[in-house]
């Protein structure tokens, strides 16, 4: 009986200690936990919902085709030229050189954490996008003859992932400077513009774009939380 009471007392004390530790953890780390939930968990959940729908129903969502047709109704020669030119800005052949230049700048400034963050985020984005396309093998829409046809798989959109990843990396690196607002608003406009070109050219469903944004967001936020590139010590 004494041993049982002693064991119960020890367990109660350990439980109280753990409860105190958990409270302190939530108090001191609530921002990181909130970012983890809203920036990683929720985007991944939305990506999963879209991916399952794509796997089960190859045609995608009921609103995919109507949105594409509505955008196509705005087609005109000037917009055709603009879309063909601007869409190239979201390709990996444009994003990669930009990230390389930023990486060289960080290398000379000896920003090792920031450089590591950039490399892992950039390479990870490309690898994840390629793997997802191969695994899900969603065929691109063929509602009209595109001015810039694509022949790879559609899901998720590589342009959407690359453009958001680029802007997110720059936003993280400039967050403590006066450049962050320009990066935020200019980058947001850039992301939306690239998404418009992909839909205008008819090479992606809207769900491809949304899925690309969601996975890229989760990836960038997760790598940022792990590496903490703005932590200089």
């Amino acid at each position: 009986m004494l041993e049982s009471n002693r064991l119960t007392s020890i367990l109660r004390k350990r439980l109280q200690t753990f409860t105190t530790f958990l409270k302190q953890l939530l108090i001191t780390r609530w921002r990181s936990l909130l970012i983890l939930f809203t920036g990683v968990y929720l985007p991944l959940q939305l990506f999963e919902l879209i991916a399952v729908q794509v796997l089960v129903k190859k045609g995608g969502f009921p609103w995919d085709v109507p949105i594409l047709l509505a955008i196509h109704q705005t087609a005109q020669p000037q917009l055709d030229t603009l879309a063909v030119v601007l869409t190239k800005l979201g390709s990996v052949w444009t994003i990669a050189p930009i990230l390389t230049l930023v990486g060289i700048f960080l290398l000379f400034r000896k920003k090792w954490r920031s450089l590591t963050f950039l490399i892992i985020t950039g390479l990870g984005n490309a690898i994840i996008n390629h793997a997802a396309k191969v695994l899900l093998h969603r065929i691109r829409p063929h509602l009209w003859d595109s001015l810039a046809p694509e022949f790879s798989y559609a899901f998720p959109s590589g342009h959407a992932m690359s453009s958001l990843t680029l802007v997110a990396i720059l936003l993280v690196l400039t967050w403590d400077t006066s450049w962050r607002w320009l990066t935020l608003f200019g980058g947001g406009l850039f992301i939306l513009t690239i998404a418009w070109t992909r839909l205008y050219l008819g090479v992606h469903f809207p769900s491809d774009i949304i899925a690309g944004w969601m996975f890229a967001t989760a990836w960038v936020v997760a790598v940022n939380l792990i590496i903490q590139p703005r932590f200089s010590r």
Side-chain angles (χ1 to χ4, degrees), residues 158-174:
H159 280 64
M161 288 186 65
S162 296
S163 59
L164 191 143
T165 298
L166 171 64
V167 172
I169 289 174
L170 295 178
L171 186 60
V172 169
L173 297 180
T174 60

Side-chain angles (χ1 to χ4, degrees), residues 55 117 129 157 176 178 180 191 206 229:
L55 284 174
F117 166 73
N129 181 260
S157 168
D176 295 327
S178 58
R180 65 177 177 180
I191 292 170

Side-chain angles (χ1 to χ4, degrees), residues 83-145:
V84 171
V85 172
L86 291 180
T87 199
K88 297 177 181 179
L89 299 178
S91 71
V92 66
W93 305 110
T94 301
I95 302 297
I98 295 175
L99 290 179
T100 300
L101 291 176
V102 176
I104 293 173
F105 173 79
L106 296 174
L107 179 65
F108 278 100
R109 293 291 302 272
K110 297 181 180 181
K111 301 288 186 178
W112 309 128
R113 280 180 177 266
S114 298
L115 180 60
T116 303
F117 166 73
L118 182 146
I119 293 174
I120 293 178
T121 305
L123 289 179
N125 170 78
I127 295 172
I128 291 170
N129 181 260
H130 178 73
K133 285 180 182 290
V134 173
L135 290 174
L136 296 169
H137 52 267
R138 187 187 198 184
I139 304 300
R140 293 181 184 270
H142 296 286
L143 302 177
W144 62 84
D145 292 332

